[in-house]
Amino acid sequence: MTSPLDHSDELLKTKLGWPSLAAMGFTTMMGSGWLLASHYAAQIAGPLAVVSWLIAGFATIMVGLVYSHLAVAWPLAGGNVRWPRLTSGQFVGAIVGWAAFIQISVATPGEATAILQYASQWLHGVFDHGRLTPFGIGVAIAMMAVCVALNFLGVVTLARLNNVLVIFKILVPVVIIVMFIASGFDSANLEVGGGPAPNGLGAALTAVTSAGLLFSFAGVMTPAVMSGEARNPRRDVPLGTMLAVGAVLVSYVGLQIAYIVGLPSDLLAETGWSGVDLNSPFAQIAMFLNLHWLSTLVLIDSAAAPGGTLFTSTGWKSRVTYGLGQERMLPKPIGLVHAASGIPRRALLLNFAISTIFLLVFQSWHQLASIAGYFLAIVYAGASIAAGTIDMHPGRPHTRPWLRHARILGALCFTFSALLIYWAGWQKSRDGVIILAALLVTYLLISQRGRLRLAWTEMREGLWFASMIVGVAVVGCFGSYGGRELVTEPFGSLLVAVIALVAYGCGVRTAKQRIRSAHAAEVMA
């Protein structure tokens, strides 16, 4: 069982250190989420949204450790869609790969939509009634095209431009937190809108995915996805990842507190948390507090923050699509690297085309972020099982494990990922299962023609993963998150946790058998 590295992998430039990886991770996470997620989280959970951020942050720290372990064991560009396939086989790899592809395809237009939603305060005609106008769609497509063109220049140019944006993206949120708390602190907000938990404790769990909180942390995998271009993956990827996650979590919690205490209490008294409807939340609250200079600064940063994320994520998401091409889940030419620039340019162009389609279908940041959060949880589950088994793979280039107890961490992260899928709600689980099933049928028809017997063998190896996703959806149908409410909390979440742990055990056992049998066959050959 040999390494999957081929000539295209060797063309990638290994020039990134931990400062650049940390900056790229921070910029990718600190994008449109800080502008809008606090607003939508408060709509769903009220002041309890702070707890939602802590839950999302805890999940992200676990995921960051998982991806760091994978990146150190086997540095691969687009590794988040390649590691699950290496450990658990083609079927699990296909599910994770398609989930990742959907997630990145909706996240990119999400950043562009956030920029225009904020810009609607001064650029009229781009955003109206909660969605982009035809003119706004055209502007968003042009913005995405510019980011693709800039990424054509190469990975070093990408990192240098991003490092400049980080400084600006740190300062503005800090100023907002300090000024809102100093100028607008109103403890009455904890009671006026219906108390600390106006929609119940379950709303804090739903907000993690439905309000875009998980989507806001999606960039946690950026250093790992770029590990094939890191100078020293063992040092640079974990350090860059943890520094970025820590800084972003503190920023998001602070911004949520600032939003809660800064919102005028008379506005809350009229509408309650769920009725607050602001297109440019932090800029408008600054106006309410007579901080006109801050409102202007926020509007400027509303272009720089998601713009920087759009630019950076355009680069690392092309590595995900590149990985899908390398694993034959997309046509092989998509997995080629341009020799002179070291950039997978065809993957960049495909991402641009698919993102444009999703932009035309969904023209709201809230919708796009919510969809991305569901599929992101599936990607995290796939990475968790890979982290628990990759040290057994004989083909990995680095044999010394980074984490001693990666299997335990993998089990915790896998279980938490299943819970995030459940908390996203029955409707998203139902739609997600249908979308994944349709994509997998398409994959089998296109890529597995004439190999149905082999395809069925691969599917049997990965049924444990599909069973987990379907099982969570069934519990969701009867659960308390948009379902029939026949299974109340905490019993619904406990049942999902049991399903996840059983599936994880089956996944580890299957991965062991697969790796050992494949290695034995290779030795015999």
Side-chain angles (χ1 to χ4, degrees):
M1 193 175 266
T2 57
S3 169
L5 296 174
D6 67 5
H7 180 62
S8 293
D9 284 297
E10 294 170 358
L11 292 174
L12 294 167
K13 314 295 185 182
T14 54
K15 295 185 177 181
L16 297 177
W18 68 262
S20 291
L21 290 173
M24 292 173 75
F26 180 86
T27 304
T28 307
M29 287 185 278
M30 204 68 182
S32 59
W34 84 261
L35 293 167
L36 296 168
S38 295
H39 169 62
Y40 291 118
Q43 277 188 335
I44 295 173
L48 208 62
V50 174
V51 176
S52 302
W53 282 110
L54 294 176
I55 294 171
F58 174 72
T60 303
I61 290 171
M62 287 199 300
V63 168
L65 292 172
V66 161
Y67 275 113
S68 295
H69 180 72
L70 289 167
V72 170
W74 206 329
L76 288 172
N80 62 324
V81 297
R82 301 171 75 182
W83 293 311
R85 188 260 184 192
L86 288 169
T87 57
S88 300
Q90 191 72 22
F91 185 65
V92 173
I95 295 176
V96 175
W98 284 117
F101 190 62
I102 296 169
Q103 185 267 320
I104 65 175
S105 296
V106 299
T108 299
E111 300 297 331
T113 302
I115 294 173
L116 295 178
Q117 181 172 337
Y118 256 77
S120 63
Q121 290 296 305
W122 55 271
L123 183 61
H124 302 294
V126 295
F127 191 86
D128 190 32
H129 294 96
R131 59 197 308 113
L132 293 177
T133 64
F135 173 61
I137 293 173
V139 175
I141 293 173
M143 290 165 53
M144 293 192 296
V146 169
C147 287
V148 170
L150 289 173
N151 272 275
F152 262 57
L153 298 175
V155 67
V156 176
T157 303
L158 185 156
R160 287 173 179 170
L161 288 174
N162 178 70
N163 291 343
V164 176
L165 290 172
V166 169
I167 299 173
F168 195 67
K169 294 177 75 169
I170 291 174
L171 290 177
V172 175
V174 169
V175 172
I176 289 174
I177 294 169
V178 172
M179 294 306 300
F180 277 25
I181 293 177
S183 303
F185 183 82
D186 191 349
S187 59
N189 285 6
L190 298 178
E191 299 297 335
V192 170
N199 298 315
L201 297 178
L205 303 177
T206 301
V208 174
T209 51
S210 297
L213 275 59
L214 201 63
F215 167 81
S216 300
F217 282 107
V220 64
M221 66 180 75
T222 303
V225 171
M226 302 293 287
S227 62
E229 294 152 271
R231 284 195 296 265
N232 183 355
R234 187 175 192 87
R235 179 198 65 195
D236 296 336
V237 173
L239 184 57
T241 300
M242 290 299 108
L243 285 174
V245 172
V248 169
L249 177 58
V250 171
S251 300
Y252 276 137
V253 171
L255 285 166
Q256 185 67 70
I257 294 172
Y259 178 92
I260 290 170
V261 302
L263 200 67
S265 57
D266 55 348
L267 180 63
L268 274 179
E270 294 176 8
T271 64
W273 290 103
S274 59
V276 176
D277 186 17
L278 303 174
N279 285 341
S280 311
F282 286 113
Q284 290 173 268
I285 293 175
M287 292 292 288
F288 295 150
L289 298 175
N290 292 318
L291 299 171
H292 299 279
W293 62 271
L294 182 56
S295 178
T296 302
L297 184 62
V298 172
L299 289 174
I300 293 172
D301 196 44
S302 68
T309 301
L310 178 60
F311 166 65
T312 307
S313 62
T314 297
W316 75 259
K317 287 168 185 173
S318 69
R319 275 62 172 182
V320 176
T321 307
Y322 161 86
L324 291 173
Q326 287 290 307
E327 300 303 325
R328 305 300 191 272
M329 282 177 273
L330 288 173
K332 175 61 177 175
I334 301 300
L336 298 179
V337 174
H338 184 257
S341 65
I343 296 293
R345 289 184 170 181
R346 294 182 181 182
L348 275 170
L349 294 174
L350 178 63
N351 284 357
F352 171 70
I354 300 299
S355 296
T356 300
I357 294 173
F358 274 100
L359 179 65
L360 295 172
V361 176
F362 303 102
Q363 296 135 33
S364 160
W365 182 90
H366 194 190
Q367 280 186 303
L368 290 163
S370 180
I371 295 167
Y374 171 83
F375 287 102
L376 195 60
I378 294 177
V379 175
Y380 290 166
S384 302
I385 191 70
T389 55
I390 199 166
D391 288 332
M392 297 181 291
H393 201 297
R396 70 191 189 281
H398 301 289
T399 56
R400 185 161 60 97
W402 183 66
L403 289 176
R404 282 189 172 185
H405 304 290
R407 194 173 301 174
I408 297 174
L409 175 66
L412 290 173
C413 194
F414 189 88
T415 303
F416 210 77
S417 299
L419 288 169
L420 290 171
I421 295 171
Y422 175 60
W423 295 336
W426 155 239
Q427 184 176 354
K428 289 185 183 63
S429 290
R430 179 197 64 197
D431 295 345
V433 169
I434 293 172
I435 292 171
L436 286 174
L439 287 171
L440 285 168
V441 169
T442 304
Y443 162 72
L444 290 173
L445 292 176
I446 294 175
S447 302
Q448 304 290 342
R449 288 181 299 178
R451 301 172 64 247
L452 292 180
R453 181 174 296 179
L454 178 60
W456 173 242
T457 301
E458 292 172 346
M459 289 177 67
R460 281 188 302 174
E461 286 184 344
L463 281 178
W464 62 269
F465 193 67
S467 298
M468 183 276 290
I469 297 173
V470 174
V472 172
V474 171
V475 177
C477 178
F478 297 99
S480 303
Y481 299 95
R484 299 181 181 180
E485 299 188 358
L486 298 177
V487 181
T488 58
E489 286 297 278
F491 301 106
S493 294
L494 289 174
L495 182 56
V496 168
V498 171
I499 292 172
L501 289 172
V502 171
Y504 184 81
C506 293
V508 170
R509 185 168 58 252
T510 302
K512 279 184 180 180
Q513 294 171 351
R514 180 181 177 278
I515 292 172
R516 287 170 181 168
S517 61
H519 182 51
E522 184 175 286
V523 171
M524 290 294 292

